[in-house]
Amino acid sequence: MERINRRLGLLSALPIGVLLVLSFLAPLLVVAAFSVMPQKVFSLLNMPDFSAFSVIVSQGYYRSLLWSLGLAFTATAILFVICWPLAYGMAKVFGRFSLVLTLAVVMSLFVSENIRLYGWVLTLMKGGLIDGYLGVWFGIGLPSPLYKIPVIVFGLVYVYFPFMLFPLAQGIAMVPDDARQAATDLGASRWRVLTAIDLPLAAPGILVGSLLCFVLSAGAVAESKLLGGQTVIVIADDVETAFTFGQNWPLGSALSMILIVLIGGIAVFGLSRIDLDAMMGRNR
Amino acid sequence: MPIVADTILRLDGVAKRFGTFTAVHGIDLEIREGEFLTIVGPSGSGKSTLIRLLVGMDVVSAGAIWLRDKRIDAVPANKRPTCMVFQSLALFPHMTVGQNIEFPLKIRKVGPAARKARALELLDLLRLPRDFYAKRVTQCSGGERQRVALARALAFDPEILFFDEPLSALDYRLRKTLEKELKDLHTRTGKTFVYITHSLEEAMVMSDRIAIMRAGRFEQIATADEIYARPVSRFVAEFMGEVNLFAVHGPQKGGLVGKEIELHLNGEAAEIGLGLAANETATLMVRPEFVRFLTNAGTADFVVRGVIIAEYALGSRLQYEVEAASGMRLTVEKLRQDAFSGAVGDDIILGFDSVHIHMIRGE
């Protein structure tokens, strides 16, 4: 009976499986294959020469990769610090107000990321919402924060806020109240409760949130383009340029592969260290 | 505020209100150095709230708590030299047994070698194998976790150790074993233990004194024997196990009359201290084990006639339920070897003597 069940299960999963392989895996394989092709070819029927990778090193494309990783790391760290108190409140303090907060944060996702970023551009630009009103009301002008590196980090923090907040709140909800109380009772200060009890027990949520934010930020392009005005070129920008203006598919593919392998490696390593089932409240 | 020499903790009018609800009404209590005090009460009696006030997890609404000569009711939990074993045990699931036990020592910046030495000592004291030191608490059984929680609390070296129903989740046999171990641990460590439970049995086995709590107040505080034999109220009498309670009154000064009871006293009720004032009402109490089956009504001070309506086997004892003519139900208990020879449905005569009764007055 169990064997029949299993075969029926496999059979039922077949259509979606095929669809996933075709739509998800096949493009990746194509990109992987293109990454080893000679420069500027548009066919996979060439001798692989791995030249794209040497171009990446010789022409300094690794710098955009470092920018991406650096910005992603900074944004993730800031997101963690900002979201922790809020997530703590949602999980342990706010009660029904948490729902309002959740809705408010989720609503922002209903508007396209680009539109929201343009909103910030209009707000922050020279003669924009802030600068304009300051000029009219007080006769003072402020230098625009746009087109600098901090505003890119700000954009990343703003856009990926929900991706840190919700996993973190989920993680903190897993910290048993009595363990916190027992630690306090045994003499632990607030700081000690945070470091010895809260952080380790909320670790799965911290890891999921950080991974999501890091992975998404590392592949993000809109923030550096719209807010940063391409002050720095990030890896996703280079990939796009290689495929479009550059007409160099192998270079774009090679850059993509490096990003995919790096991020994939970090994600797999991170996810292997946590118990997602426990986090979702399921027993194994 | 003068403190009696052997009083370790003193409560002066301690109260706790949640909005309009008062959980604890102005309680006074003196806990003696080294005693095992158990606070017993049904759920909702305020005992959990009280213990949370005592360890500092909640703040008193009124009153003062003194630890020896220091007032501590405003001191936060992590600055109080007391500690609690939780109902849930509240072990830290991400730590090993050793790390759990060493937690309070680490906070006090005790060095790693000294910490480990103390943890191993405590494992010995709690009769846990030393190789448990590296075991994860999540892999321990219920009884083992219990001992780890105790070891962790003892590592803190508290002035007073509080217990919030730590045995309630365990099965019967393990509970019985741990009750005795806890009593033994109390003797060996010489610490003051304050234990709360809803189980009277637990309280009777372990405690030096028992405080019966009801609706946010103490009904009676005394030794187990005293509370069992001389409860101050019907509530305490009924809470302390099976009991037979007769409503009685004094028709005139020095008299005693009850609907179910025939008096066969040698002399007047007043002569043996049982007389009531005129029109005074009281409750006459007798425990089931002191009620005898009689063949002749003249051989007991008090006599009740009735019918056996049920018989229950309680292991070493047998329990009979008897209905008096008035409809009142009585409980009689006999050791197995003293089993009553009659059967359910028999008319019988029950009797008990004045030395075994207790009069609850002033209710």
Side-chain angles (χ1 to χ4, degrees):
Chain A
M1 190 62 199
E2 197 177 318
R3 273 180 58 187
I4 296 173
N5 270 345
R6 191 178 305 166
R7 279 179 51 189
L8 274 176
L10 281 176
L11 216 60
S12 318
L14 201 62
I16 190 71
V18 169
L19 194 71
L20 275 178
V21 166
L22 281 180
S23 63
F24 188 75
L25 210 55
L28 272 182
L29 289 176
V30 172
V31 168
F34 260 115
S35 72
V36 299
M37 290 291 117
Q39 292 294 285
K40 305 210 171 190
V41 299
F42 297 100
S43 158
L44 287 172
L45 305 171
N46 291 284
M47 265 316 271
D49 69 351
F50 296 89
S51 59
F53 291 94
S54 61
V55 169
I56 289 171
V57 178
S58 65
Q59 298 195 9
Y61 282 104
Y62 58 87
R63 267 179 302 213
S64 60
L65 181 66
L66 288 180
W67 270 116
S68 279
L69 296 180
L71 288 171
F73 180 82
T74 313
T76 305
I78 292 174
L79 273 167
F80 173 68
V81 174
I82 294 177
C83 289
W84 179 270
L86 206 57
Y88 189 89
M90 283 176 74
K92 302 279 185 194
V93 187
F94 296 159
R96 286 164 88 185
F97 178 64
S98 295
L99 186 67
V100 180
L101 204 66
T102 305
L103 284 176
V105 174
V106 169
M107 291 268 263
S108 74
L109 294 176
F110 290 1
V111 180
S112 136
E113 177 188 332
N114 282 5
I115 293 175
R116 281 182 290 143
L117 287 176
Y118 271 120
W120 278 111
V121 171
L122 291 178
T123 308
L124 298 174
M125 66 192 264
K126 190 100 201 118
L129 201 61
I130 293 179
D131 184 50
Y133 272 109
L134 281 178
V136 171
W137 287 343
F138 306 108
I140 48 168
L142 276 184
S144 166
L146 283 181
Y147 316 132
K148 296 188 180 71
I149 290 163
V151 83
I152 303 177
V153 177
F154 167 79
L156 291 170
V157 167
Y158 165 69
V159 168
Y160 298 116
F161 187 77
F163 298 87
M164 180 64 91
L165 183 66
F166 296 129
L168 220 50
Q170 184 73 32
I172 293 170
M174 287 167 62
V175 181
D177 288 335
D178 59 0
R180 311 184 73 253
Q181 289 174 350
T184 307
D185 189 40
L186 290 165
S189 59
R190 275 162 192 253
W191 178 252
R192 174 77 78 162
V193 173
L194 175 73
T195 55
I197 308 295
D198 288 338
L199 289 178
L201 287 177
I206 297 172
L207 212 60
V208 169
S210 302
L211 270 178
L212 276 175
C213 289
F214 185 81
V215 168
L216 292 170
S217 304
V221 66
E223 292 77 10
S224 75
K225 257 189 172 171
L226 304 183
L227 297 178
Q230 293 185 310
T231 312
V232 294
I233 305 295
V234 293
I235 184 82
D237 219 347
D238 270 345
V239 172
E240 192 193 330
T241 311
F243 273 109
T244 55
F245 297 118
Q247 290 293 298
N248 193 346
W249 292 6
L251 178 63
S253 302
L255 286 168
S256 306
M257 284 319 292
I258 290 175
L259 191 62
I260 289 169
V261 168
L262 250 170
I263 299 294
I266 293 171
V268 168
F269 174 77
L271 289 175
S272 69
R273 312 214 44 169
I274 57 165
D275 186 353
L276 267 182
D277 276 342
M279 201 173 160
M280 297 309 185
R282 239 177 303 155
N283 295 318
R284 289 222 211 206
Chain B
M1 189 61 51
I3 291 265
V4 184
D6 69 341
T7 298
I8 186 164
L9 196 78
R10 179 197 173 100
L11 278 64
D12 273 331
V14 166
K16 179 67 184 176
R17 284 181 290 275
F18 297 102
T20 55
F21 173 70
T22 304
V24 175
H25 297 266
I27 275 184
D28 296 322
L29 175 68
E30 282 187 8
I31 297 171
R32 297 168 195 155
E33 182 104 49
E35 83 169 322
F36 197 134
L37 175 80
T38 303
I39 300 171
V40 198
S43 47
S45 58
K47 57 190 194 302
S48 291
T49 305
L50 180 63
I51 206 163
R52 288 179 66 85
L53 295 175
L54 297 186
V55 294
M57 275 172 219
D58 268 326
V59 186
V60 297
S61 305
I65 304 171
W66 298 80
L67 183 81
R68 299 220 172 80
D69 53 356
K70 239 181 78 190
R71 188 168 167 174
I72 59 160
D73 47 83
V75 177
N78 61 344
K79 297 269 163 53
R80 291 193 195 185
T82 57
C83 149
M84 171 158 106
V85 176
F86 286 64
Q87 182 165 22
S88 62
L89 304 181
L91 292 174
F92 306 133
H94 58 304
M95 296 185 192
T96 62
V97 169
Q99 286 168 330
N100 263 281
I101 300 174
E102 288 180 17
F103 186 80
L105 301 172
K106 214 170 158 182
I107 288 168
R108 284 188 204 149
K109 302 193 167 64
V110 178
R115 282 205 310 257
K116 181 162 184 181
R118 179 71 183 135
L120 292 175
E121 249 176 62
L122 286 164
L123 285 177
D124 291 345
L125 181 71
L126 272 304
R127 303 205 175 90
L128 284 168
R130 284 190 162 214
D131 57 12
F132 267 49
Y133 182 82
K135 194 172 178 177
R136 298 207 72 88
V137 287
T138 45
Q139 289 163 349
C140 293
S141 70
E144 289 161 4
R145 284 155 161 263
Q146 195 73 49
R147 293 185 177 93
V148 175
L150 268 167
R152 186 178 69 179
L154 287 170
F156 180 76
D157 195 24
E159 297 252 16
I160 304 175
L161 195 47
F162 293 97
F163 297 85
D164 183 8
E165 309 204 33
L167 304 182
S168 58
L170 300 174
D171 67 62
Y172 181 80
R173 275 191 58 177
L174 188 55
R175 205 164 64 226
K176 290 285 132 196
T177 314
L178 286 169
E179 277 170 14
K180 284 176 186 147
E181 276 185 32
L182 215 53
K183 179 75 195 161
D184 180 45
L185 193 70
H186 174 249
T187 316
R188 278 188 287 159
T189 57
K191 290 211 173 293
T192 309
F193 281 24
V194 177
Y195 193 101
I196 72 164
T197 179
H198 61 269
S199 158
L200 184 80
E201 231 182 308
E202 240 171 72
M204 304 252 271
V205 172
M206 298 188 291
S207 331
D208 297 321
R209 283 196 305 161
I210 296 175
I212 307 269
M213 203 165 174
R214 178 194 190 187
R217 290 191 177 87
F218 285 136
E219 196 92 352
Q220 188 169 10
I221 307 171
T223 62
D225 289 348
E226 173 77 14
I227 289 186
Y228 186 75
R230 283 180 289 280
V232 297
S233 64
R234 273 179 166 260
F235 173 79
V236 174
E238 284 172 339
F239 196 72
M240 290 296 280
E242 294 281 357
V243 69
N244 298 305
L245 299 170
F246 302 92
V248 291
H249 66 275
Q252 74 282 330
K253 190 169 165 15
L256 180 67
V257 170
K259 197 153 95 185
E260 294 86 8
I261 308 173
E262 297 168 20
L263 265 62
H264 294 262
L265 298 174
N266 292 322
E268 292 298 312
E271 287 171 27
I272 46 174
L274 291 175
L276 298 172
N279 295 322
E280 183 187 357
T281 58
T283 304
L284 189 150
M285 178 197 100
V286 62
R287 293 280 174 195
E289 63 271 27
F290 293 122
V291 181
R292 292 179 282 136
F293 289 97
L294 304 180
T295 45
N296 175 355
T299 54
D301 294 346
F302 301 88
V303 168
V304 178
R305 293 172 199 271
V307 183
I308 299 193
I309 56 170
E311 180 183 322
Y312 308 103
L314 305 179
S316 60
R317 292 163 298 137
L318 292 165
Q319 194 181 80
Y320 304 91
E321 208 172 337
V322 175
E323 192 173 284
S326 68
M328 177 190 167
R329 298 279 173 97
L330 282 84
T331 307
V332 184
E333 269 181 31
K334 289 287 148 219
L335 287 174
R336 201 165 265 283
Q337 65 264 32
D338 303 329
F340 180 59
S341 53
V344 170
D346 285 2
D347 285 322
I348 43 115
I349 307 169
L350 298 176
F352 44 93
D353 295 321
S354 48
V355 289
H356 292 135
I357 66 149
H358 169 66
M359 197 73 85
I360 300 168
R361 297 170 195 248
E363 270 201 294

